[in-house]
Amino acid sequence: MIDNFGRDINYFRVSVTDRCNLRCLYCMPRVGVPKKRHEDILSLELIYKICQSAVALGIKKIRLTGGEPLIRKNIVRLVRDLAGLKRFGLRELTMTTNAVLLAQYASELKAAGLDRVNISLDSLREEKFTDITGRAGAMREAQAGLRAALEAGLSPVKVNVVLIGGVNEDEIEDFVNLTREEGVEVRFIELMPLGEAGAWEKARFIPNTEVLRRVPRLVPIAGRRGGMVARLYRLPEAAGTVGLISPLSSHFCAECNRIRLTPDGKLKPCLHSAEELDFRAYGENRLSEFLSDGIRRKPDRHMMRDSNFVPVARKMHEIGG
Ligand code: SAM
Ligand code: SF4
C-alpha cells in the first residue's frame, strides 16, 4: 500500500514478545523489567491474522522480532503458518534474534519456512559480551547459534552490531573480518537514543563514519543497497559485505517502507514517534482498516536530531527492534 508521501509500505516488523533472555546495556534495565499481563499480549492466532491482512494489503516482507522471539512458545508454529502466506504474495520471512537459542531451533525454523536470520552480536570477546548482555556464557551460545544458522542455510546471516563508545568500538576491525566467512554480512547499526540509551552521554554514540575511518580498505559496492537502509561495502578479498545503517547521521525516512506491530497489539507507523494505533480499538473484524490507518499516519520523517526531540517512552524490546 502507498502512504501519503508516495512510499510503498511493504515491510512489516512484528514483535512477538517484549521479554528477553538477555539484558543488553542499551536496551533493557538489568533488573525490574515490568512484566506485561498475559492477556495483554497478542495470541499467535491473532498475530497470524494481522499478518494475513497485511499481506493482502501489499506487505511483501515480514520480520519477527522482540524482545527475543525465540523465547515465545510455539514460535516455530507461527513461522510455519506465516510461511503459508507466501502463496498470497509474501516474499520473505525473516527473524531478528540474539541467537542464544538458535542452535536449538535453526534447522526447525528453516524447515518451517523461515528464509534468513539477523543475529545481534555486539562483541566477539567473552568477558565484554557478558558485560554488555548481563548473561555469562551467552557469547558461546550465540556463536553456536550463528554456526547453526549457517549450517541450516538461513543465509545470508546478517550480524547486527551496535557500536557503543568506550565499549566495543575497538572491535570494529574484528567484526569486519567476520565477512571473510562465507554467508556472513556484518551491519553496524548506530546506537539510537531509545530505551536505556535514551539519556546516555554523547560520547557513547559513535557515527558509522568511524567504521570507514578505522577500516579504510572497505570499498563501497556501487549500486547496491542492503535493503532500504544499509549502505554496503566490502573488503576486497572478502565473501560477505559490511552494511552501515545510520539512522542518526543520515535520515533514510524518505525511503522508509515499514510499519511495526508491538506484542501488545499496537501498530507503530514510525519507530521514533509516540503515535500508536491500538488493535483493540478496531477488533478482529477491522484488521484491514487498522493496518491502512497506520500506514496513512506514517510521518514524512523522524525528529531524533531536532533539538526539542523527546525520546519515545517505549523501549526497543517493547516495540521490537
Ligand atoms: N532480541 C533480538 C535481538 O537482539 O536481535 C531482537 C530484538 S532487539 C530489540 C532488535 C535489535 O534492536 C537488536 O539488533 C538490538 O541491537 C537493536 N537495538 C536495541 N536497542 C537499540 C538502540 N537503542 N539503538 C540501536 N539499536 C538498538
Ligand atoms: Fe534482548 Fe535484543 Fe534487547 Fe538485547 S537487544 S536485551 S537481546 S531484546
Side-chain angles (χ1 to χ4, degrees), residues 93-317:
L93 181 60
T94 62
M95 180 183 283
T96 299
T97 169
N98 61 34
V100 165
L101 295 173
L102 195 55
Q104 189 181 322
Y105 282 115
S107 51
E108 257 186 284
L109 288 167
K110 178 70 186 177
L114 192 73
D115 294 303
R116 291 193 302 99
V117 282
N118 283 15
I119 293 178
S120 306
L121 207 64
D122 294 331
S123 176
L124 298 168
R125 301 184 194 153
E126 188 145 10
E127 214 173 301
K128 202 190 292 178
F129 198 93
T130 303
D131 289 346
I132 294 173
T133 62
R135 175 171 162 140
M139 195 185 81
R140 282 164 200 233
E141 293 166 311
Q143 289 196 330
L146 170 60
R147 276 194 304 278
L150 288 170
E151 277 160 25
L154 288 167
S155 47
V157 173
K158 296 187 181 173
V159 172
N160 289 349
V161 185
V162 174
L163 290 175
I164 314 165
V167 176
N168 60 356
E169 83 229 78
D170 56 333
E171 293 188 56
I172 289 176
E173 193 139 16
D174 297 342
F175 275 113
V176 169
N177 281 331
L178 274 187
T179 61
R180 293 173 193 276
E181 189 165 337
E182 199 71 47
V184 178
E185 307 203 358
V186 170
R187 298 156 17 120
F188 292 98
I189 303 176
E190 283 178 349
L191 178 67
M192 293 179 277
L194 285 171
E196 292 302 290
W200 280 7
E201 77 258 33
K202 279 215 162 70
R204 289 194 151 193
F205 294 83
I206 307 284
N208 265 339
T209 44
E210 185 61 16
V211 174
L212 301 175
R213 196 186 69 78
R214 288 200 187 219
V215 194
R217 291 191 315 118
L218 281 172
V219 284
I221 304 179
R224 262 197 70 197
R225 299 283 295 267
M228 168 195 86
V229 293
R231 293 190 193 277
L232 292 182
Y233 297 80
R234 188 195 288 287
L235 284 178
E237 67 284 11
T241 54
V242 173
L244 300 185
I245 301 182
S246 315
L248 282 188
S249 59
S250 67
H251 268 295
F252 42 66
C253 305
E255 297 159 68
C256 181
N257 60 350
R258 57 189 63 183
I259 46 170
R260 296 168 191 263
L261 182 70
T262 69
D264 55 350
K266 309 283 167 46
L267 195 66
K268 285 194 73 75
C270 169
L271 173 62
H272 304 292
S273 150
E275 172 151 38
E276 297 179 342
L277 286 78
D278 191 347
F279 155 76
R280 286 162 191 88
Y282 290 78
E284 259 186 74
N285 297 325
R286 291 169 61 213
L287 292 180
S288 184
E289 212 179 314
F290 170 54
L291 292 161
S292 37
D293 280 357
I295 291 172
R296 259 183 236 114
R297 301 241 194 123
K298 273 185 77 65
D300 66 334
R301 67 177 189 94
H302 74 64
M303 308 292 168
M304 262 195 303
R305 297 183 79 195
D306 294 11
S307 54
N308 55 355
F309 173 71
V310 182
V312 275
R314 272 207 198 242
K315 313 217 157 80
M316 208 58 170
H317 69 97

Side-chain angles (χ1 to χ4, degrees), residues 19-24 26-28 66-68 98 120 317:
R19 299 174 61 189
C20 189
N21 46 0
L22 297 185
R23 291 287 180 273
C24 300
Y26 49 78
C27 181
M28 286 175 94
E68 174 47 40
N98 61 34
S120 306
H317 69 97

